[in-house]
Structures are given as C-alpha cells and as structure tokens.
Amino acid sequence: MAKMEVKTSLLDNMIGVGDMVLLEPLSEDSFINNLKKRFDHSEIYTYIGSVVVSINPYRSLPIYSPEKVEEYRNRNFYELSPHIFALSDEAYRSLRDQDKDQCILITGESGAGKTEASKLVMSYVAAVCGKGAEVNQVKEQLLQSNPVLEAFGNAKTVRNDNSSRFGKYMDIEFDFKGDPLGGVISNYLLEKSRVVKQPRGERNFHIFYQILSGASDDLLNKLKLERDFSRYNYLSLDSARVNGVDDAVNFRTVRNAMQIVGFMDHETQSILEVVAAVLKLGNIEFKPESRVNGLDESKIKDKNELKEICELTGIDQSVLERAFSFRTVEAKQEKVSTTLNVAQAYYARDALAKNLYSRLFSWLVTRINESIKAQTKVRKKVMGVLDIYGFEIFEDNSFEQFIINYCNEKLQQIFIELTLKEEQEEYIREDIEWTHIEYFNNAIICDLIENNQTGILAMLDEECLRPGTVTDDTFLEKLNQICATHQHFESRMSKCSRFLNDTSLPHSCFRIQHYAGKVMYQVEGFVDKNNDLLYRDLSQAMWKANHSLIKALFPEGNPAKINLKRPPTAGSQFKASVATLMKNLQTKNPNYIRCIKPNDKKAAHIFNEALVCHQVRYLGLLENVRVRRAGYAFRQPYELCLERYKMLCKQTWPHWRGPARAGVEVLFNELEIPEEEYSFGRSKIFIRNPRTLFKLEDLRKQRLEDLATLIQKIYRGWKCRTRFLLMKRSQIVIASWYRRYAQQKKYQRIKSSAIVVQSYIRGWKARKLLRELKHQKRCKEAATTIAAYWHGTQARRELRRLKEEARNKHAIAVVWAYWLGYKVRREYRKFFRANAGRKIYEFTLQKIMQKYFLEMKNKMPSLSPIDKNWPARPYLFLDSTHKELKRIFHLWRCKKYRDQFTDQQKLIYEEKLEASELFKDKKALYPASVGQPFQGAYLEISKNPKYKRLKDAVEEKIIIAEVVNKINRANGKCASRIFLLTKNNVLLADQKSGHIKSEVPLGDVTKVSMSSQSDGFFAVHLKEGSGAAGKGDFLFSSDHLIEMATKLYRTTLSQTKQKLNIEISDEFLVQFRQDKVCVKFIQGNQKNGNIPTCKRKNNRLLEVAVP
C-alpha cells in the first residue's frame, strides 16, 4: 500500500472481550461478567462469531445516528466495534453483491428489545439502499407497516410496555441493484386470549386505548364509544395509563401510517368499527332463566349494548341475540338446536370477540401485504426479518407457552444445524481439515412435541377429535400412557416411579426438559385453546352482517358453503406454520440477533446477573460459543492479519512487497508460534486458541508503544533541529537588520552635522552681505534726509507767508459778517416779539409727540392676536390717540396673522367662528370643543376595506363621517350607526355591514334641537310629509355634537340659502310617527360614565338623564 490506512478493529480499545469466542477462560461466570462489564460501559452489543448479542439498555444511546450508519457502511464485519449495524450491513452486502438470500433471526424474551432490533435493521437497510421517488415510497411503506401492526398486535405486559403478542416474519424483496421492491409479512399465533382477559398489571392491545384517548368526539359518537376506560369490561383499569406513553399521539401516528401504507378512508373506518364492536361485546351480560322443560337458558340483561353493536356491524339484532342463546348442531342432514346456559353464553361471547379480533388482525396483515408487495415480476432477492417470541418460563405456563417454546425448540435446532453447516462450509472452502463437533441435538425434544404418531400435539388433536367426554385430565392420562418412558417428559401421574414422590410437580401438570431448561405446564385449558371453537350460529350471524369487512372475515358462515368437516385445531395450524417457516429459513443465509433483558424493572444501568444468566442458558449462548470454538476460535483474511501485525517482524515492517500469505508465514515463523496453534487456509489464517490471539495483541500493543516512542524521539529531534535552524535564520536576519539600522543612524548623524556647518557658514556670509548693504543704504538715506530737511525749511517759510495773507483776508470777512448779523438780529427781534408763544407751543408739542412715538416703537407688544398687552398712556391728552393706535395695531397684526392661513385653515376657523356664534354661552359643551380641531372624516371610509360597499354607494363628497348612537324611538335604547353628511343628504348606515339604512335630503331637515347641558344628545327634525319623515324625527348621541351641528348648519345654508334653526332648550318636542313626544333633560347618575341614558316614560314623555 502506497499510503497506510489507519483502521479501527474489534480488538482496538476493547472493553472486556468484544467477541465471546475469544473469551478466556470460557465459563458461565466469565461469560456473564464480560457482558456486565461491557453493559456498564454502554457497550450493549457483543459478538459470538457472527451472532450479535444485544442487551436492552432501557435508555436512548447516541449510537444510531446517520453518522454511525455511514461509519458501518461497506465495512468488514470485524473491522469496527460490535454493533447491530455491522450485522445488517453484512447481510445486505451479501444479498446485493453475492446474490444470497438472507434472513435475520431475532430472538429473546419479552422486553429484551426484539421489536426495536427489527426496526433498527429495517431502518439501516432503508438508509443504505438506493434513492428515488418510487424506492423512497416503498421504504416508507415498509417502515410505516410497523406502527400499524404494533397498535393491533402489541400490548403492555409486566415485562415490557410494548410487548409483541404475535410472531412476525417479513420478507423484504430487492431488485438486482439492491433497491427494495416490496415485502411480504407473515404472522404467527396472535395472543387473542388477551382480548377478553389480561393478567394483573397488564393491558389489552394498544389500539383499544388509542381509540378512546385519541379519537375525536365526532368519531367516538360514530363508533358509539365513550372515553372512560372503566365503561368497558375487556379493559383492565389497574394499568390503563402507561408512563411515558401518549395514546392520543400514537393514535394519530397509526392513522397517518395506515394512510401511507395505502388504507382507504372507508377501510380505516370499517376497521375502527370492528374494534369498537369487539370492545362493546365485553359489556354484554347474561342472566339465567328457567324454561318449562326445566332446562336453564341465558338471556341478555341489557339490550342497549347489543343494539349498538348491531348498528355498528349491520347485523339483525334478533339474529345475534338468538346466536348468544342457542346452539345448532348439524349431523347427517339433521339439525339439533340446544339452549346455552349463562356460562356457555359467556364462552360464546368471548369466543366471538377473540375470533373477530384475530381474524381482523390476519386481514390487516393480508391488506398490508397487498400494499407493500412487489409490483414487478422480475427475479427478486429476499431478506427475511424474524421477530418472534423468545423462550417463556412463567410460574403458570399454559398452551400459549407450550406452543411458543415448541417454536423456539425448532429455531434452536435450525440454529445449531445452520451454524455447524456454516462452520463446515468455511472449513471446506478454506481447505482446513473438518473435525466433528459434539453438541446437544434437541431433535429428540422436537420429536416429542411434533411426532405425527406419538407427539404431544398429535395426541392433543386426537383427544379433541375423539367422541365422548373430553377433558384436560383425559388428555394428561393419554400423555402419561404414551410419553411416560420418554427421557424429556415428566409427570406425577406417569408410571415412572422416579416422579411419584416429586412434590414440586402437581398432579394436573406435566414437565418437559427443553434445551433451555425444564418447564412445567398447567394442563388446564389445553383442550379448549386447541379447539379454538366458535359456534356455527355466531359465524352465520356474522356473515349475515351488512358490514362488508365483517362479512369477509367469516366466509364459513355462508349457508351455501356449509362444511360439516371440523376446522383444523390451533396446534396443527401452528405446527404447519412453523414447518413452513423452517423450510423458508433453510433456503436463506442466516444472521442471528440474540436479545437479552438486563432487569425486570425496565430501568437503565441495572444488570441482574441471575436474570441474565437464566436467559443465557435458555438461549444456548454458551453452547453457541463452544460450537464456534470447537475448531478454530479466530479466523482473519491474510491481508487484514498482515496489516495489523506486520510491525512485529522486521521483514514485514514497514512494507511487505510479496503475497499476503507469504508475509503472514514469515511473521508467524519470526514470532515462533507453535504450528499446532494455527492453520493456513486459502484466504484466511485460522488461530486455534484465543491465548495465541491475545499474545499477538500484547506483542502488538508493546510494539506500538515502542514505535510510538521512536516516533516521538524522531519527532522531538526533528522539532529541535527545525527550531535551531529557524533561530539561526532569525539571528542572521536580526543581525543584518541591526547593521542596516546602525549605518542609517551614523549616516543621519553625519548628515545632520554637515547641515549645521553649512547653515553656520551661510549665516556668516549673509550677515556680512547685510552689513555691507546696510552701510550703502545709510549713506543714501543720509543724503535724502539732508535734502528733505532743506525742502521742509523752504516749505515752512512759504506757508507762513501764505497764512499771513489769509489772516488779513479773513479779518475783513469777519467784520462784514458781524455787520450782516447785527442787521438781521435787529430785524428778527422786531418779528419775534409778535409770534413767540405759538412757536414755542408747536415746538414743544412736536418734541413730545416725537418722544411718544419713539417710546412706543420700543414698547410694542408681540404680533400674536391673543396678546392683550399694550404700553401705558404717557399723557392724558394722548388718550384717544393711544386707543386708536391700539385698535389699528390689533387690526394690522390680525391681518398679518390671517395672511398666513391656508384655504383649509381659513375654512376651519370660519367653522369655529360659526360655532362660537351659535353655541357660545348657550351650550355647556361648547368650551370643551374650542380646543378640538374639526376633522370631519373620523372614519377613513376610503382606506378601510370594511366600508368598501358604503364608499361605492356614496358618490358625493363626504363632509363628515362619524359613528353615532341612534336612540330607539320606542324604548330609548342605543344602536351604533354611521352618520354621513354630504353636500345634499344626511345618510345613516349600519356600522358592521355598511348597509345604508336611511337617506334624508338637506331640504327636509327643518331644525336641530339639543339641551343646554354638557351632553352630546341632539334631535334632527324633519319636514312633515317628506319621504324621510315616515317614522318621525331622529334622536342621536355623539361625542362631536358641536362640530356636527355646525357643519350641518353651514351645509344647509350653502345648499338651501336658508338658515337652519338651532334650538337649545332642556325641553323640546319631537315627532314620532303621528305622536308628538316631549324630550326632557334631567340630572342623574350614569352607569356608563358620561353617556346620557334615555328612558321612555309614556307615550308623551322621553326622559334623558345627563351627568
């Protein structure tokens, strides 16, 4: 191999011993201890060669996930730790790749996990096979058949909350690609006695409780059932509820599964009706009644239950009642009718219930087979899954346990035969010498039971068919005569003296020494249970039913097909079924799952060694290990053996270039293993003793530790060298970077020094040049200064001369001016003496007015029209002026405020102004409405889809839309209405539907009346003789009275050019049809807050109580 694959093995990290064949030393104690050790570590699966031993953990384990499925897919059986998936994968691959039909036999006692194991096998096969719509449908139908069969065939027992009370064998059919095509289910020996009686602490079949818990009330009424379990005699009450089980949810699951499998709705209903009929049969009770001839006969106490059963099943009540009271016997063209006493009537009732339910179950299996059978006729590969009861040993063992243990004897026989056959075939295939294996052959026990002449079943059938008095005691006497000398049969009544003093064996019992131990059977009930007799009258009554399913369940009731031949017994039927099953299993390659129950408490983490030891004995697991170990305990292909142990030899490690067998030979010679401990087959190495394998494992473990140490040493050396080289490279890099850094720093220092020197030299040169320039500049400035001073002296001299001349000219002008002023003042004094007072008054008044207006400018109030502030008057004579200015300013700022309004706002304020004129100081409700804006459309009719019909009916623009309370004219009660005001009409509509109730033109509205109180009550008066006034005036109550009255007033004025009369009074008259009624407002306590309440006192008075 170019690249070594790391594989896990059964032997890696093994807890205890994963394969019991390798257990050393092998004893019952070591076997139990190994199972317990693995169970304590949640290892519930253990191998015995190719057999899987499964212990029920009674809890959920994370070992069945999709990841686990993929882990075990297409892997060698011993490649991974023991698991049920490994066996499932081995069986599926053998079927798909080698074209071998397979069967998986799952055995164990009740509560050991057989049903769950079969589900896991089917779910694994469904997960690994092909995909596709048709394939997925087939897989889903196969998987969903389980819930249906569990509901009708499983029950709660003291050992298991979901115990299968029937044996099931399913053949799953595959095509050449390995995709499922369909399946066939066979059922064996349904425990139908459970229908009529259950042991203490156990329940009837699940379906009875599921119907009562999960069916709808309507369905229960159709089935004529009640939810109370105590109403039905066939249901035990001490265990009616099971912890952790929800019967209602399970009923829905069963209904869904039936639909997936393919049951039609009418078929499901028919099935439930039959189940209900069985349940109600248990409520039929009988009473004795004496006839004239002195014979006792039975009568039904209460015929109501019988009536409901007949309605469910479509049977004539008189026919069924007679079948419960009489029995007709036919013999050679003669019919004899006899009456049934109470005990016989109860027997007939229970027999009918058991037969009805068992035949329904068989019909269910047949119907499921019709749905899941393969539709194609191509050649099919088959995988069978057998989930059947394990060996049963109870305190009281009866006919059912005898039949079950007989089946287990046959399975043990075929198990031993097929195991030996498989071992022999492998030895021959590998060219290994076959040695004879001594084992207990239980054929003698099978012969004791099934022999056609002297077998127990044959004698039981013979006794049942014998004329005369037949009882269980006569059957036991016959057994004592025929089987007394058989070494596996024991009885106190036999002639064998060794049992005469055995007090542990009662006189009414016999004991058989099975392969799993001795079992004592109570002979009571053997004859009746084997006869399984149903009176012909009841069969014929069932066939006469109008219920198609019940009629199909009892074909022997057809008078046209009367068969006087006695039907086969239950024992002979089961014997034939077991023979067919054994024949079927022998044609397939077997795979075994042995299920073990760790404790009787159904609790996790509890391992009862005595209980497990009992199961190990009767399952024959130790004998299985001995058979497996009789030749070679371990075998493995050369390639896998070499791959696992090649590190033990220098010649094969790390790679062997030659054939795998040669490598194994070299390996074993190098290890000096004795030749008698192993043999070489064609493709496998066979190891005789487990000690040799464990020695190899110990050497491998030690060698792996040495190799791990070597790998660690090499790794540490490589790691240190790698670290040293890395540090060396890092040091070189750091040194180079430092040298670069140091040279950069040195260069920077030299560069800085050169710059400083250059700057000093340039500064010195600049200063020298500056001094020279300054000297030249000072020389030039000195000449300029001297010239300036000279020019200044010259200018000042000229200025003084000009000033002297100017002063002379100015003196002349001043003298002239004084002369003119004197002349003017002399003339003015003459004029002033005549007008001085008036001039001073006007001047003073002008100054006062000027000061007044300037102060007003600084003290002006804000531009808000509601601001009442105004500066105080400074002088009394300005009083009229001050008031006029205040008026002008107020008008001006109101105009400025109005100029800011939109058209909509102007309309609102106009309405507010109109409301003020109408209601101010008249209506107590008015002040509260001032601060509320008039919205009009309180109902968004155009946006609300609820009022679409109303919107479509009103074409005009809606001015107001509000919900008001319309007062009933007769009793004063309120009803909600939608009040609509348009340009031409007043409309009233229903609030819920939007339907228009009334339409009043505005021209017909003459007056609106209301009280002076703070209520929202008002009346709309209509014109007498108008079409809308047929019932009289309208009375309303609204939260927006002021707005509605204002808008109604303005709209009426706009359309009719006439003012609407608004009457505000605490008493006013309204017209109701032909009567005038006085509406009077009084003070009163309100029950509904501030809403006014109306009460019609008499034909002429309506009182309105307001707060």
Side-chain angles (χ1 to χ4, degrees):
M1 296 173 64
K3 183 179 179 181
M4 186 180 70
E5 289 184 82
V6 179
K7 293 184 178 180
T8 58
S9 169
L10 173 69
L11 301 171
D12 287 332
N13 303 320
M14 188 167 55
I15 297 172
V17 178
D19 190 343
M20 289 294 188
V21 176
L22 305 178
L23 185 64
E24 191 70 25
L26 177 63
S27 66
E28 188 176 85
D29 291 339
S30 63
F31 191 97
I32 301 299
N33 290 334
N34 186 55
L35 286 178
K36 184 177 188 302
K37 183 177 182 180
R38 291 179 61 79
F39 178 79
D40 291 341
H41 289 81
S42 299
E43 293 287 342
I44 63 171
Y45 296 112
T46 307
Y47 290 156
I48 302 177
S50 60
V51 177
V52 175
V53 178
S54 170
I55 302 180
N56 191 345
Y58 287 115
R59 60 191 174 103
S60 298
L61 296 176
I63 58 174
Y64 306 110
S65 62
E67 292 76 15
K68 276 289 181 183
V69 172
E70 289 300 320
E71 183 180 341
Y72 280 86
R73 187 173 184 174
N74 295 326
R75 302 295 286 269
N76 184 274
F77 185 75
Y78 296 102
E79 190 172 338
L80 300 175
S81 58
H83 201 290
I84 194 172
F85 286 170
L87 180 138
S88 304
D89 186 74
E90 183 77 12
Y92 177 71
R93 286 192 294 114
S94 297
L95 176 138
R96 182 192 63 192
D97 301 336
Q98 302 177 18
D99 203 18
K100 292 181 179 179
D101 288 350
Q102 303 289 317
C103 66
I104 298 177
L105 308 181
I106 307 172
T107 57
E109 73 171 45
S110 178
K114 302 188 298 299
T115 301
E116 289 301 317
S118 66
K119 290 180 184 177
L120 289 171
V121 170
M122 293 178 66
S123 64
Y124 179 85
V125 173
V128 300
C129 64
K131 302 293 187 292
E134 294 184 3
V135 173
N136 289 339
Q137 181 181 359
V138 172
K139 290 193 290 187
E140 188 66 18
Q141 286 185 334
L142 290 173
L143 293 175
Q144 290 300 325
S145 64
N146 279 324
V148 179
L149 293 178
E150 285 183 13
F152 287 87
N154 289 24
K156 189 258 182 193
T157 66
V158 293
R159 297 185 175 184
N160 186 3
D161 290 344
N162 188 32
S163 176
S164 297
R165 308 316 299 162
F166 69 104
K168 182 179 74 173
Y169 177 74
M170 173 182 283
D171 269 335
I172 308 173
E173 300 173 334
F174 298 83
D175 63 8
F176 70 96
K177 302 189 300 297
D179 294 340
L181 297 174
V184 178
I185 300 173
S186 302
N187 66 298
Y188 302 96
L189 194 66
L190 176 73
E191 188 188 11
K192 56 186 177 182
S193 61
R194 181 172 293 271
V195 174
V196 299
K197 184 179 180 182
Q198 305 91 44
R200 180 175 295 278
E202 298 189 3
R203 293 204 315 177
N204 211 323
F205 292 102
H206 292 327
I207 189 63
F208 295 113
Y209 304 92
Q210 291 174 359
I211 289 178
L212 298 181
S213 300
S216 63
D217 293 335
D218 182 52
L219 179 57
L220 286 178
N221 290 334
K222 291 181 180 178
L223 298 178
K224 304 185 185 304
L225 296 176
E226 299 177 17
R227 291 200 188 277
D228 186 8
F229 295 160
S230 62
R231 288 276 293 108
Y232 303 100
N233 298 330
Y234 279 166
L235 300 184
S236 61
L237 300 179
D238 55 343
S239 300
R241 303 288 182 185
V242 181
N243 293 333
V245 176
D246 191 335
D247 290 316
V249 173
N250 290 341
F251 181 69
R252 291 191 289 272
T253 302
V254 172
R255 293 289 297 268
N256 182 57
M258 294 178 76
Q259 188 175 3
I260 293 174
V261 171
F263 283 87
M264 299 294 122
D265 290 342
H266 70 274
E267 291 178 322
T268 304
Q269 183 65 25
S270 298
I271 293 169
L272 297 180
E273 288 172 353
V274 174
V275 174
V278 171
L279 199 56
K280 296 182 76 63
L281 273 173
N283 291 348
I284 295 179
E285 296 182 349
F286 302 93
K287 60 183 179 180
E289 187 173 297
S290 298
R291 300 183 69 185
V292 178
N293 56 8
L295 296 176
D296 288 339
E297 65 174 305
S298 62
K299 290 291 182 181
I300 297 176
K301 288 184 180 180
D302 184 4
K303 296 185 180 181
N304 287 331
E305 292 286 350
L306 181 66
K307 179 182 177 183
E308 292 182 353
I309 292 173
C310 292
E311 290 175 358
L312 274 174
T313 57
I315 302 174
D316 186 281
Q317 183 174 346
S318 60
V319 173
L320 187 58
E321 184 177 0
R322 175 177 174 76
F324 280 133
S325 302
F326 294 89
R327 179 188 178 187
T328 303
V329 179
E330 297 184 20
K332 296 182 180 181
Q333 307 300 324
E334 293 184 3
K335 290 184 179 181
V336 179
S337 181
T338 60
T339 60
L340 300 179
N341 57 31
V342 172
Q344 291 171 333
Y346 277 117
Y347 174 83
R349 180 200 68 178
D350 292 344
L352 177 61
K354 291 187 291 184
N355 273 272
L356 192 58
Y357 191 82
S358 65
R359 296 185 188 204
L360 172 64
F361 186 78
S362 299
W363 181 88
L364 269 174
V365 173
T366 304
R367 179 64 182 82
I368 291 174
N369 286 337
E370 291 177 2
S371 296
I372 65 176
K373 68 180 179 181
Q375 302 299 321
T376 59
K377 296 184 179 180
V378 297
R379 183 181 177 274
K380 308 174 188 70
K381 304 175 183 180
V382 177
M383 175 185 289
V385 179
L386 178 63
D387 173 10
I388 201 163
Y389 4 69
F391 202 89
E392 291 188 349
I393 304 177
F394 299 144
E395 291 184 4
D396 295 326
N397 301 287
S398 186
F399 179 75
E400 290 84 2
Q401 283 69 46
F402 176 75
I403 290 296
I404 290 171
N405 294 342
Y406 161 61
C407 179
N408 277 271
E409 286 285 355
K410 296 294 290 184
L411 287 175
Q412 177 68 9
Q413 184 182 25
I414 195 173
F415 170 68
I416 295 296
E417 290 177 359
L418 292 178
T419 301
L420 292 175
K421 181 181 179 182
E422 182 183 0
E423 285 283 293
Q424 185 175 8
E425 287 178 351
E426 184 172 18
Y427 279 37
I428 295 173
R429 186 169 59 248
E430 294 293 329
D431 200 15
I432 300 293
E433 183 179 355
W434 169 256
T435 56
H436 180 70
I437 299 174
E438 293 293 336
Y439 67 96
F440 171 69
N441 189 346
N442 66 338
I444 186 173
I445 303 175
C446 296
D447 184 69
L448 170 65
I449 298 173
E450 67 180 4
N451 188 282
N452 292 331
Q453 301 297 328
T454 59
I456 295 176
L457 286 177
M459 287 184 284
L460 180 60
D461 287 348
E462 183 179 337
E463 191 68 13
C464 291
L465 297 175
R466 181 175 62 83
T469 303
V470 177
T471 63
D472 296 320
D473 292 334
T474 59
F475 166 62
L476 182 59
E477 290 176 4
K478 190 160 191 170
L479 287 182
N480 293 331
Q481 294 175 4
I482 305 298
C483 304
T485 58
H486 199 286
Q487 58 182 343
H488 291 275
F489 179 84
E490 301 174 2
S491 171
R492 284 282 295 275
M493 302 297 292
S494 66
K495 298 179 181 178
C496 187
S497 60
R498 58 194 173 106
F499 301 118
L500 293 177
N501 298 321
D502 187 358
T503 56
S504 64
L505 184 61
H507 291 279
S508 60
C509 300
F510 66 92
R511 189 158 54 203
I512 295 179
Q513 185 175 353
H514 292 280
Y515 77 92
K518 293 183 178 181
V519 183
M520 183 173 65
Y521 298 101
Q522 295 279 351
V523 77
E524 182 182 355
F526 261 62
V527 173
D528 285 341
K529 292 176 181 179
N530 187 53
N531 271 325
D532 193 21
L533 187 62
L534 178 67
Y535 297 150
R536 183 169 299 160
D537 301 75
L538 289 172
S539 298
Q540 292 177 352
M542 292 296 106
W543 188 84
K544 293 177 181 177
N546 292 328
H547 197 283
S548 57
L549 177 56
I550 293 180
K551 191 168 187 175
L553 296 179
F554 293 88
E556 74 276 10
N558 188 352
K561 299 180 180 179
I562 292 179
N563 186 3
L564 298 180
K565 186 178 179 181
R566 189 182 183 91
T569 61
S572 61
Q573 291 181 33
F574 188 73
K575 177 182 174 182
S577 299
V578 169
T580 304
L581 176 63
M582 297 301 115
K583 185 177 180 181
N584 191 357
L585 295 179
Q586 286 176 343
T587 62
K588 295 178 174 61
N589 185 48
N591 302 272
Y592 298 95
I593 301 174
R594 301 294 202 178
C595 297
I596 292 177
K597 181 170 65 173
N599 60 78
D600 281 326
K601 299 179 180 179
K602 296 180 276 192
H605 306 292
I606 298 178
F607 189 92
N608 188 326
E609 295 187 15
L611 178 64
V612 173
C613 180
H614 173 69
Q615 295 173 78
V616 167
R617 287 174 182 171
Y618 76 63
L619 286 174
L621 298 184
L622 275 176
E623 190 169 44
N624 188 8
V625 177
R626 292 191 182 99
V627 169
R628 183 77 182 190
R629 289 179 55 167
Y632 293 89
F634 183 76
R635 69 285 317 267
Q636 192 175 33
Y638 291 123
E639 291 79 7
L640 296 178
C641 182
L642 183 62
E643 181 68 29
R644 186 167 183 82
Y645 302 112
K646 64 181 179 181
M647 72 287 296
L648 301 180
C649 177
K650 293 181 179 179
Q651 300 179 45
T652 57
W653 178 258
H655 300 294
W656 173 257
R657 304 297 180 185
R661 173 170 176 168
V664 174
E665 291 177 355
V666 170
L667 175 65
F668 276 52
N669 291 332
E670 179 73 17
L671 295 175
E672 298 181 353
I673 297 176
E675 293 183 359
E676 62 272 12
E677 287 295 321
Y678 64 90
S679 292
F680 292 105
R682 296 181 184 273
S683 62
K684 295 180 181 179
I685 176 73
F686 287 75
I687 298 176
R688 186 179 301 278
N689 201 309
R691 286 193 299 271
T692 304
L693 179 65
F694 292 141
K695 177 183 177 182
L696 288 173
E697 283 297 312
D698 292 339
L699 292 173
R700 179 177 181 270
K701 183 177 180 180
Q702 182 62 42
R703 181 58 178 160
L704 287 177
E705 292 177 357
D706 296 340
L707 290 175
T709 304
L710 177 63
I711 292 171
Q712 289 175 351
K713 180 184 73 172
I714 295 173
Y715 171 73
R716 292 186 183 121
W718 169 83
K719 186 176 181 180
C720 290
R721 284 193 300 275
T722 303
R723 187 170 183 271
F724 167 74
L725 294 175
L726 178 62
M727 293 178 65
K728 183 179 180 180
R729 287 195 298 271
S730 301
Q731 187 271 334
I732 293 172
V733 172
I734 293 171
S736 64
W737 276 87
Y738 175 75
R739 285 193 292 270
R740 174 188 173 189
Y741 170 76
Q743 290 301 319
Q744 286 177 341
K745 282 291 184 182
K746 183 178 180 181
Y747 168 73
Q748 292 293 339
R749 286 197 302 271
I750 295 172
K751 183 179 178 181
S752 299
S753 301
I755 291 173
V756 170
V757 172
Q758 288 175 353
S759 64
Y760 273 102
I761 292 175
R762 292 191 187 100
W764 174 77
K765 287 183 177 181
R767 286 190 295 275
K768 182 179 180 182
L769 178 61
L770 180 62
R771 284 193 298 270
E772 292 176 354
L773 292 175
K774 284 183 177 180
H775 177 69
Q776 293 176 3
K777 183 178 180 181
R778 281 197 295 272
C779 292
K780 291 180 180 180
E781 288 177 348
T784 303
T785 302
I786 294 170
Y789 270 99
W790 167 249
H791 291 309
T793 302
Q794 289 295 106
R796 285 189 293 275
R797 287 177 182 174
E798 184 65 22
L799 178 63
R800 283 194 298 272
R801 186 184 66 79
L802 292 174
K803 284 184 177 181
E804 186 65 28
E805 291 179 357
R807 278 196 295 271
N808 292 334
K809 292 180 180 179
H810 180 66
I812 296 170
V814 169
V815 173
W816 175 250
Y818 270 102
W819 166 247
L820 290 178
Y822 169 75
K823 286 177 68 175
V824 170
R825 284 191 297 275
R826 189 174 60 182
E827 291 294 327
Y828 176 73
R829 278 194 292 271
K830 293 178 183 179
F831 179 77
F832 181 74
R833 290 188 184 98
N835 300 295
R838 187 173 60 83
K839 290 290 185 181
I840 291 172
Y841 171 76
E842 289 178 357
F843 177 77
T844 303
L845 186 62
Q846 183 181 1
K847 287 297 182 180
I848 290 174
M849 293 297 293
Q850 186 178 6
K851 181 181 178 181
Y852 169 71
F853 283 118
L854 289 175
E855 287 179 353
M856 287 293 293
K857 176 183 178 183
N858 296 327
K859 295 180 180 179
M860 291 296 285
S862 66
L863 296 179
S864 174
I866 62 174
D867 190 356
K868 302 294 184 180
N869 296 323
W870 187 251
R873 178 192 62 198
Y875 303 104
L876 183 60
F877 73 92
L878 292 175
D879 184 57
S880 59
T881 304
H882 194 70
K883 291 181 178 179
E884 185 63 19
L885 277 176
K886 179 179 180 181
R887 186 184 69 81
I888 293 171
F889 178 77
H890 180 68
L891 293 176
W892 174 79
R893 67 181 177 181
C894 286
K895 180 180 181 304
K896 294 289 286 184
Y897 186 74
R898 287 195 302 272
D899 290 343
Q900 298 175 5
F901 291 166
T902 62
D903 294 340
Q904 183 68 21
Q905 288 176 323
K906 288 180 181 180
L907 180 61
I908 292 173
Y909 281 106
E910 288 176 1
E911 290 178 346
K912 286 287 185 179
L913 183 60
E914 194 79 55
S916 175
E917 294 174 355
L918 291 173
F919 302 107
K920 187 176 181 181
D921 300 330
K922 301 176 183 179
K923 178 71 174 173
L925 185 64
Y926 172 73
S929 71
V930 173
Q932 298 177 354
F934 289 175
Q935 297 181 12
Y938 291 95
L939 301 178
E940 296 180 345
I941 294 178
S942 59
K943 297 181 180 179
N944 195 333
K946 177 180 177 182
Y947 301 121
K948 183 177 184 304
R949 179 179 178 185
L950 182 59
K951 176 178 173 294
D952 295 340
V954 179
E955 298 178 354
E956 298 177 297
K957 179 182 178 182
I958 297 174
I959 299 172
I960 188 167
E962 163 68 340
V963 176
V964 299
N965 290 322
K966 178 180 174 294
I967 310 302
N968 191 296
R969 300 178 180 90
N971 51 25
K973 293 185 179 179
C974 298
S976 296
R977 293 288 186 268
I978 298 175
F979 185 93
L980 299 178
L981 175 61
T982 65
K983 290 184 178 181
N984 297 311
N985 298 290
V986 174
L987 303 172
L988 292 178
D990 186 78
Q991 184 185 5
K992 294 182 179 179
S993 64
H995 177 70
I996 296 176
K997 296 285 188 178
S998 302
E999 182 174 358
V1000 181
L1002 289 180
D1004 291 345
V1005 178
T1006 60
K1007 185 172 64 173
V1008 174
S1009 300
M1010 62 190 73
S1011 73
S1012 61
Q1013 309 295 327
S1014 60
D1015 61 280
F1017 188 92
F1018 67 99
V1020 177
H1021 300 269
L1022 305 181
K1023 185 186 295 183
E1024 292 186 8
S1026 63
K1031 294 183 180 180
D1033 300 336
F1034 289 105
L1035 297 179
F1036 300 109
S1037 176
S1038 172
D1039 294 336
H1040 303 92
L1041 169 61
I1042 302 298
E1043 179 182 357
M1044 294 179 67
T1046 302
K1047 288 183 179 291
L1048 183 60
Y1049 176 83
R1050 287 173 59 84
T1051 306
T1052 304
L1053 180 61
S1054 173
Q1055 295 301 317
T1056 63
K1057 307 303 181 182
Q1058 295 179 358
K1059 291 185 178 181
L1060 181 65
N1061 185 14
I1062 304 294
E1063 180 185 0
I1064 301 177
S1065 173
D1066 289 343
E1067 287 189 19
F1068 53 81
L1069 295 176
V1070 293
Q1071 184 74 32
F1072 286 173
R1073 295 188 184 276
Q1074 304 301 325
D1075 300 329
K1076 285 193 177 292
V1077 178
C1078 177
V1079 179
K1080 184 178 181 180
F1081 292 83
I1082 61 174
Q1083 298 290 330
N1085 295 327
Q1086 304 302 307
K1087 297 181 180 179
N1088 301 321
N1090 293 328
I1091 301 175
T1093 57
C1094 302
K1095 187 173 183 181
R1096 186 75 178 267
K1097 304 297 287 186
N1098 52 51
N1099 292 338
R1100 299 297 180 180
L1101 178 61
L1102 176 68
E1103 285 188 352
V1104 181
V1106 296

